[in-house]
Amino acid sequence: MMLFRSLAAAALIVVTTVLPLPALAQDDEPRWSIAIHGGAGTIRREDMTPEREAAYRAALQQALDAGTRILEEGGSALDAIEAAILLMEDDPKFNAGRGAVYTWEGAHEFDASIMDGRDRDAGAVAGVTGIRHPILLARKVMTDSPHVMLAGQGAEQFAAEQGLETMPPEWFGTEARREALERMKADKLSALDVDIKFGTVGAVALDRDGNMAAGTSTGGMTGKRWGRIGDAPVIGAGTYADNRSCAVSATGWGEYFIRVGVAKSICERLLMVRNFESTSAGLRATGPGFAQILADSVMDDVKRLGGDGGIILVTAAGETLYSFNTAGMYRGRATSAGVSEVAIYADEEQPSDR
Ligand code: ASP
């Protein structure tokens, strides 16, 4: 045990001394940042038309701007991520709310969660139908119920009591999603064969008060049945936020993200390094690039088990980053340092925003 501890400490010293020091903000202006995603997957240039690509970029920018405005004006991280997710839930291009994938039975069942990094309060809903904005319901579970997670009919009853807006089934449906389900059934394909991208939406943010929040919303995977629940509503898997470390939202093959506990694993590793740093004078382990290494290591773990997908992340220092092992991920980020960008493919430049 002692030997293991010494080895672990030595490894950290090696890692921390070769990494650059963090570029701490020189000005007194509190910083803010936000990152969003609209799903990861087999998103390739050759499968896109210019119009379709432009439509995705515009939708991402719109969601990013909605969150940005709130943060610029001094609003909370929770309100910022909610604003970004609301727009994507209403957009049929994404697999959340309107435009969600179909279950085996031809219905839409939503999963969503939200987490407040201040006190790690959280709310989640799983397998709910007819709710226009599942992210609002998740937030209500957090703020207006004594619970963290509600499912199915009970969650819908709670939604009705809270006065949440509902929509008829046809409002959520799209031709493309219906066709994906039919193809899956006819050709006995898996959800992965027909879901060329996952399409879940999510957002993470750090506000001027230093508070972080994360949220994720999805229709799950095409043809899901038997009440299948993915990672999106599972706190610690698809969503996690802790002011001491980071905020994460995930998209991908949910079963693997649950098994790895992706979102919390990343934040936990970051926290461990931070704690180590604070007890080791002169060592700085949280410079730019370090969170990326930790996030990539967790995503490597997902890949090792056979899963794919990606995450978005903001750190307590305001760094924003992505980590994904798919051909693309609909994504965007903005910071108080003047960054505001959206991207789709893996090979698009992602300059450091610090
Ligand atoms: N993670 C989601 C799920 O497994 C799917 C997605 O990201 O689109 O339900």
Side-chain angles (χ1 to χ4, degrees), residues 37 39-40 95 111 197-200 218-221 224 228-232 250-255 257:
H37 71 76
N95 172 20
D111 299 339
K197 58 181 174 46
F198 291 105
T200 287
T218 188
M221 290 173 86
K224 64 182 184 179
R228 182 264 186 190
I229 305 293
D231 60 314
T251 174
W253 197 345
E255 278 69 11
F257 282 69

Side-chain angles (χ1 to χ4, degrees), residues 31-191:
R31 53 198 305 171
W32 56 262
S33 51
I34 180 167
I36 61 166
H37 71 76
T42 317
I43 309 165
R44 291 182 300 231
R45 279 193 179 79
E46 55 269 35
D47 303 327
M48 276 277 194
T49 62
E51 296 73 33
R52 204 168 152 69
E53 186 178 315
Y56 270 105
R57 288 188 195 273
L60 288 168
Q61 191 67 56
Q62 227 183 351
L64 190 64
D65 291 347
T68 297
R69 268 194 299 279
I70 289 172
L71 295 170
E72 270 173 348
E73 288 163 11
S76 73
L78 274 172
D79 287 344
I81 60 154
E82 180 186 289
I85 292 173
L86 286 178
L87 284 178
M88 293 190 283
E89 281 182 335
D90 265 353
D91 189 328
K93 286 192 287 302
F94 301 108
N95 172 20
R98 192 177 192 195
V101 298
Y102 285 90
T103 65
W104 189 259
E105 286 78 22
H108 298 101
E109 289 176 3
F110 308 114
D111 299 339
S113 66
I114 196 163
M115 190 161 187
D116 183 343
R118 285 177 297 191
D119 53 1
R120 281 170 283 160
D121 203 0
V125 289
V128 295
T129 58
I131 308 295
R132 178 174 178 181
H133 288 298
I135 196 68
L136 292 182
L137 182 53
R139 189 163 178 177
K140 281 283 184 196
V141 172
M142 175 171 79
T143 57
D144 290 79
S145 90
H147 308 298
V148 166
M149 194 176 205
L150 300 180
Q153 282 179 358
E156 288 160 18
Q157 190 186 328
F158 175 72
E161 285 168 19
Q162 295 294 322
L164 284 196
E165 191 177 359
T166 55
M167 284 293 186
E170 42 306 350
W171 193 83
F172 298 101
T174 60
E175 237 352 271
R177 301 294 192 194
R178 165 75 66 189
E179 192 259 337
L181 177 67
E182 278 160 14
R183 216 148 40 89
M184 178 186 194
K185 286 185 166 177
D187 302 338
K188 299 201 168 34
L189 296 170
S190 79

Side-chain angles (χ1 to χ4, degrees), residues 35-40 60 63 85 88 94 199-204 215-217 238 248-252 310-312 322 329-332:
I36 61 166
H37 71 76
L60 288 168
I85 292 173
M88 293 190 283
F94 301 108
T200 287
V201 307
V204 291
T216 312
S217 179
V248 175
S249 170
T251 174
I311 60 100
I312 53 170
Y322 322 109
M329 178 162 82
Y330 296 114
R331 61 198 188 275

Side-chain angles (χ1 to χ4, degrees), residues 198-216:
F198 291 105
T200 287
V201 307
V204 291
L206 167 76
D207 64 30
R208 286 187 196 272
D209 295 324
N211 295 320
M212 287 193 279
T216 312

